[in-house]
Amino acid sequence: MLTAEAVGRTLAALGVDRVFGVVGSGNFHVTNALAAAGARFIAARHEGGAAVMADAYARVSGELGVLSVHQGPGLTNAMTGITEAAKSRTPLLILAAEATAPRSNFYIDQSALATAVGAVPERITSAETAADDLARAYRTATSERRTVLLNLPLDVQAAPGREFDLPVTPPVPIPAPAADAIAELADALADAERPVFLAGRGARNAGKEIKHLSERTGALLSTSAACRGLFRGEEFSLDVSGGFATPAAAELISNADLLVGWGCALNMWTTRHGALIGDGTTVIQVDLDPGALGAHHRIDLGVVGDAAATARAVAGELERRGHRASGYRSAKIAERLTREGRWRDVPFEAEAEDGRIDPRVLSAALDDLLPAERTVAVDSGNFMGYPAMYLGVPDADGFVFTQAFQSIGLGLATAIGAAVARPDRLTVAALGDGGALMGISELETAVRLGLGLLVVVYDDEAYGAEVHHFGPDGHPLGHVTFPPADIAEIGRGFGCAGVTVRTPADLAAVAGWVNGPRGRPLVVDAKVTRAKPSWWLEEAFRGH
Ligand SMILES: Cc1ncc(C[n+]2csc(CCOP(=O)(O)OP(=O)(O)O)c2C)c(N)n1
């Protein structure tokens, strides 16, 4: 057996059952060994797509994402997706073949590349050390939630290897939050009249505990965009905080006297460059990572701890004190949230442009006609707030937001990775025409996999974000505007169904597809109105 095969077999034995990638000579054997041992290999058409699929798969399934790439260009093609994963702390293991001879065309300093984007470089240095090397890489990816580049030098891969068991390492224990910090957080909550909880991705597994604490303290519930859906269906949920927030949510959050961030960076997006946090508001941040505390916004108290454990401990402390309060919760606020808690409920006058549909009309109509059990994946661009906020999602797994690197072009591959993780849900890829055409090769992957994906392209025939950024100042826009492209026809060329939407009536074809067998993806080329920037982009420009 080759060392390459030993690595593949061992990973399969550890439970790796999905691998995304593009196969070349350098990763041929390791990938085949994984597949022979029972893992399903998902061949993407570009390594950039494969990396994003593996990332999205990990986010939605909660399992380790695994990516397999050829040496050199296989890795460089994947770099944008790897960067997104590294910034998002996605547990991702990249099996990358490595040319170590500097004269090889394929030679580059792969470890330096990984380090440059925040991934952790590792290497199988010899057949003899393969078990330890693999164990280290696997542990770093899973226990520390890191994106790990495991270099597989070609000569080491070809060396005779043998099947091995990975050394068993106990999981790294998560330290309990300090008792004095719990007491201080309990004091602040007991004093607060208008507490708001803001949950980020670090609190995805703490929804139950945070809800319980919010009921005891009368806190309103909100999330970062990346954690959208965590409090879905809660009477006192404000949905997303930040640029995407509804006017009602933004007002209620800015009037808080205590804001507690749970596994949430409190970055410029979630706080609207700090504008949603009043000068007198007490800010407390709970995070596993001490380095995250106060990194983006001033805080009055930082608690190092797991969100669920901390919420549980604080609830216990308040119970011991006999404290229970209605806080920010009242019948009036509940009633207000029923009326205007979702963007869909905020009245607007539809923009009129001949042969084009207002993106809000489009998004609200889609929300009505799509099944509730859905996953929404959103690319970047001016359009992004519409699908992100007008389409409801069933829970936090139902919203996949690969936006830590703010790259366009990742949305389609994100949707494919998510759909592989949750085939039981209808997956929607919401894209701008720019992002769609950048990542379009993966439509073939979606067709080949038989995914019933709904690809909705908010087509303004432009890099709308740039048009709205620079247009008002009279700059030339020739480099950011494009002639019309028939994206529905492009979709048909890949083997998808395709429909062009210019009016609400055109959505009948989408309803027909939704109610059918969904054996192949549907590409919706929605020609959207384009006179004004979206509300969230206008907000973002204010912060620039
Ligand atoms: C990879 C990458 N290239 C360029 C940009 C800069 N950029 C941000 S938004 C945008 C335009 C996106 O256009 P489109 O996907 O059509 O969405 P729209 O803004 O028109 O809604 C560009 C080029 C980026 N964020 N990422």
Side-chain angles (χ1 to χ4, degrees), residues 174-190:
I174 298 169
D180 56 345
I182 293 298
E184 270 190 79
L185 180 46
D187 290 345
L189 280 165

Side-chain angles (χ1 to χ4, degrees), residues 332-384:
K332 208 164 134 213
I333 285 186
E335 196 234 329
R336 182 171 183 196
L337 290 176
T338 313
R339 256 187 298 116
E340 43 181 312
R342 302 179 306 164
W343 266 112
R344 284 205 52 173
D345 305 323
V346 177
F348 66 91
E349 201 175 314
E351 213 174 84
E353 192 180 340
D354 212 19
R356 296 190 163 269
I357 185 168
D358 184 302
R360 294 163 294 186
V361 173
L362 167 73
S363 307
L366 286 173
D367 191 39
D368 285 337
L369 69 81
L370 300 180
E373 277 298 310
R374 59 177 87 145
T375 307
V376 177
V378 184
D379 209 329
S380 200
N382 171 59
F383 78 96
M384 71 199 286

Side-chain angles (χ1 to χ4, degrees), residues 80 379-384 405-410 431-436 438 458-468 480 528 537:
T80 302
D379 209 329
S380 200
N382 171 59
F383 78 96
M384 71 199 286
F405 195 27
Q406 237 185 299
S407 172
I408 66 168
L410 310 189
L431 319 172
D433 51 303
M438 196 176 273
Y458 289 71
D459 184 1
D460 61 355
E461 290 148 14
Y463 291 153
E466 314 305 353
V467 168
H468 297 301
V480 290
V528 291
L537 197 69

Side-chain angles (χ1 to χ4, degrees), residues 15-16 51 81 87 114 139 158 189 193 201 218 243 248 257 259 321 324 338 391 405 414 423 450 458 460 495 525 543:
V16 169
K87 282 179 179 276
R139 193 174 53 240
L189 280 165
E193 288 173 10
R201 261 186 1 114
D257 62 350
L259 205 130
R321 297 182 190 184
R324 182 178 283 281
T338 313
L391 299 182
F405 195 27
T414 299
Y458 289 71
D460 61 355
D525 182 8

Side-chain angles (χ1 to χ4, degrees), residues 32 123 294 302 315 386 418 431 450 521:
N32 280 358
R123 177 175 289 115
Y386 302 119
L431 319 172

